[in-house]
Amino acid sequence: METIKNYKSYNENKSIEELQFNLLQDINNLEHLKLELEFYKFLLEKPIFKIHVINLYERLSDFKHDIQSLDSKRVALLNDIYLHSNHIEQKIECDDMACDAFFIHEHDAVALRIFEFNQKVKAFKFNFFQYLESVFIN
């Protein structure tokens, strides 16, 4: 299965309801990610790692930092989505092409940020799980 690396927008012909639904899905995913990140932090604090692993403390500290960074970005992205969700309701009042184009452009920018953030989360998880698998006590 090939990973999607570039974002492609299909928002131009979507209804306001569909755009709002997609935003609600993104909000839900970002809210659930909070619990997942908290669990990863919990794992890093447990004595479940092999002893005498080279740079274990440093790598675990790096992962803790990555988790904190992802969580901060998650919160900022959620705030942007909430703000955009409020703006998109104003699209209903648009009656010209320029106004529609502005909202679609704004929505695409938010969708791109969500896509890029999700790519970062996937890369983090891949590296995190791969490393943990190599240092867990059998």
Side-chain angles (χ1 to χ4, degrees):
M1 187 166 141
E2 191 174 323
T3 304
I4 300 171
K5 296 184 181 175
N6 297 317
Y7 174 75
K8 174 85 172 116
S9 171
Y10 295 97
N11 295 318
E12 194 169 310
N13 296 319
K14 290 183 180 176
S15 68
I16 293 168
E17 292 80 18
E18 190 173 0
L19 295 175
Q20 288 174 320
F21 177 79
N22 291 341
L23 286 175
L24 288 174
Q25 293 295 98
D26 293 326
I27 289 169
N28 190 38
N29 291 337
L30 290 169
E31 292 289 352
H32 283 92
L33 180 60
K34 177 182 180 182
L35 296 171
E36 201 172 326
L37 294 174
E38 287 174 355
F39 178 71
Y40 298 154
K41 284 194 292 190
F42 171 81
L43 271 181
L44 293 175
E45 297 298 327
K46 295 298 174 190
I48 53 177
F49 304 103
K50 295 176 184 174
I51 55 174
H52 307 299
V53 173
I54 297 173
N55 297 327
L56 176 66
Y57 175 78
E58 290 81 4
R59 289 294 309 264
L60 296 180
S61 293
D62 289 344
F63 282 123
K64 288 177 190 175
H65 179 265
D66 292 345
I67 291 168
Q68 183 60 43
S69 176
L70 284 173
D71 193 47
S72 296
K73 290 175 185 172
R74 180 193 67 81
V75 169
L77 188 54
L78 262 176
N79 290 334
D80 289 347
I81 293 171
Y82 285 128
L83 180 64
H84 176 63
S85 183
N86 290 336
H87 285 162
I88 209 161
E89 290 179 12
Q90 297 171 2
K91 184 181 185 291
I92 297 169
E93 299 169 9
C94 278
D95 54 359
D96 65 8
M97 297 299 277
C99 182
D100 275 350
F102 169 77
F103 280 108
I104 295 301
H105 177 72
E106 184 180 314
H107 187 81
D108 285 344
V110 171
L112 175 61
R113 289 189 56 218
I114 293 167
F115 175 82
E116 289 172 342
F117 178 76
N118 286 334
Q119 294 299 102
K120 288 178 185 176
V121 170
K122 288 175 188 175
F124 165 79
K125 287 180 183 181
F126 178 80
N127 293 330
F128 184 65
F129 295 153
Q130 195 171 40
Y131 184 73
L132 288 183
E133 185 176 44
S134 70
V135 296
F136 273 162
I137 296 173
N138 293 335

